[in-house]
Amino acid sequence: MQVVDAKKSQKVVVLGTGGTIAGTAASASDHTGYTAGQLGVQHLLDAVPALQDSLQGHELVGEQLVQLDSKDMDHATWQALAQRCAHWLARPDVDAVVITHGTDTLEETAWFLQMVLDTNKPVVLTCAMRPATALAPDGPQNLLDAMVVACDPLSRGVMVVCAGLIHSARAVQKVHPYRLDAFSSGESGPRGFVEQGGVRWQDLGVLPKVHAHARTALTSNVAQWPWVAVLHSHAGSDARQIQALVAAGVKGLVMAGTGNGTVHEKLASALSEAQAQGVVVRLVSRCAQGQIVGKAAFSTAPLGLNVFKARVSLLLDLLG
Ligand code: SIN
């Protein structure tokens, strides 16, 4: 579905992918027993009366890509989303892309897009913690705020806008299962704030470089993408999970280690054996903040990424 007004030259494209922002429940008081990904992107846009005021003359183009609960996000959808973003962003008459997305894997999609999209234009992901049918849904305000960020002249890179905060793809993490401000940028803090229809930047940000295998990610068959799994080191850890993954053909393992990247003794030798068999191992800290400092037993993931984004980066590394 596309709505294009050829009279106006510059456009903001809104790609719908589902999530709670497009979710519906039987009762307005139900914030958890709903079905995500029910309403189309045009419905979401129509539910924001002041949207035109925030567009600074831009025309809106709505496109429904998928209707997913983002817990079920997959590589094929990532690739399709990145392709549509690349398509629209390459057009001189498109200034920005806004993506409506579920909150559950939002940070992973944001990091994937940041790594594979070669553009200076803004890509703004937004979401909701309450379904569209709630008495006071948060989706319309988040969508309005995302539009403000998309149209801001200083915006660039992949960002997440939720509850008035602008997060970078690198730092953002979902930190709460139901609160409206469910995202945090941890110790780096948000890139900025949306206030009264304007943006207050606090960090214009140094954007990470596009990944060397971005083109492969956009064009290769996802069925051939390497299998990269995530593991955590914890009390009572058991090496059999690593052995089973290696036997089943895993190509990469991202281990969330304890503290400064230490790994349970039961896992350490299994990880070394996996490495000896050609599996690439990356280590992150399972701590919510900070990153591994100094020398660790295995190579550490770049940029202090959390374990899920480190999986994205290792997946892209292995695409080579
Ligand atoms: C989802 O991630 O699609 C469902 C949960 C949410 O959007 O908050």
Side-chain angles (χ1 to χ4, degrees):
M1 181 272 300
Q2 270 183 40
V3 191
V4 185
D5 180 349
K7 289 196 300 282
K8 295 185 182 171
S9 53
Q10 291 311 113
K11 297 171 178 61
V12 173
V13 178
V14 186
L15 300 176
T17 72
T20 296
I21 191 168
T24 56
S27 143
S29 59
D30 198 344
H31 290 169
T32 55
Y34 59 86
T35 310
Q38 299 299 300
L39 303 175
V41 67
Q42 192 59 47
H43 188 111
L44 304 186
L45 294 171
D46 290 345
V48 189
L51 204 55
Q52 288 303 326
D53 304 342
S54 65
L55 289 176
Q56 298 177 26
H58 284 90
E59 180 60 25
L60 275 184
V61 179
E63 183 176 289
Q64 193 70 45
L65 188 77
V66 286
Q67 277 289 22
L68 267 185
D69 185 322
S70 82
K71 73 178 174 58
D72 300 324
M73 185 52 70
D74 54 37
H75 295 162
T77 306
W78 273 357
Q79 187 182 57
L81 180 60
Q83 286 170 348
R84 288 314 285 161
C85 288
H87 161 82
W88 285 113
L89 293 166
R91 282 177 50 157
D93 62 336
V94 172
D95 282 347
V97 169
V98 170
I99 301 167
T100 56
H101 196 290
T103 60
D104 284 342
T105 57
L106 186 63
E107 69 211 53
E108 296 172 59
T109 301
W111 184 244
F112 177 75
L113 293 177
Q114 181 67 73
M115 285 291 91
V116 303
L117 293 176
D118 193 2
T119 180
N120 273 328
K121 296 178 184 176
V123 175
V124 186
L125 291 104
T126 194
C127 55
M129 292 299 290
R130 291 180 182 161
T133 47
L135 201 55
D138 53 328
Q141 183 67 55
N142 285 343
L143 191 51
L144 183 64
D145 289 350
M147 222 54 86
V148 169
V149 175
C151 295
D152 188 274
L154 295 177
S155 274
R156 44 193 202 100
V158 179
M159 290 162 281
V160 170
V161 170
C162 182
L165 300 178
I166 308 165
H167 303 278
S168 70
R170 174 179 168 185
V172 70
Q173 183 162 1
K174 187 172 180 182
V175 293
H176 202 279
Y178 58 82
R179 228 169 49 192
L180 298 189
D181 60 337
F183 289 90
S184 166
S185 288
E187 52 193 8
S188 64
R191 281 187 63 189
F193 307 88
V194 187
E195 296 169 337
Q196 276 299 117
V199 177
R200 174 163 59 97
W201 292 106
Q202 117 155 339
D203 170 17
L204 285 173
V206 178
L207 296 178
K209 279 207 303 233
V210 175
H211 197 281
H213 302 149
R215 190 159 171 71
T216 314
L218 283 164
T219 54
S220 60
N221 180 355
V222 293
Q224 314 292 328
W225 285 13
W227 176 21
V228 179
V230 158
L231 293 166
H232 288 73
S233 185
H234 51 81
S237 281
D238 191 318
R240 284 176 297 182
Q241 61 179 324
I242 295 175
Q243 289 151 359
L245 284 164
V246 174
V250 80
K251 296 288 183 269
L253 289 172
V254 183
M255 168 63 69
T258 33
N260 193 38
T262 47
V263 174
H264 196 290
E265 59 181 359
K266 293 272 169 50
L267 302 179
S269 56
L271 278 180
S272 298
E273 275 163 35
Q275 267 191 163
Q277 290 180 48
V279 176
V280 180
V281 176
R282 292 273 164 78
L283 192 60
V284 300
S285 172
R286 67 177 214 181
C287 293
Q289 300 199 4
Q291 64 183 78
I292 297 170
V293 291
K295 205 166 150 35
F298 299 92
S299 58
T300 52
L303 302 170
L305 297 173
N306 73 18
V307 68
F308 307 109
K309 293 186 209 178
R311 192 195 79 83
V312 174
S313 284
L314 179 53
L315 169 66
L316 291 170
D317 291 351
L318 294 177
L319 274 184

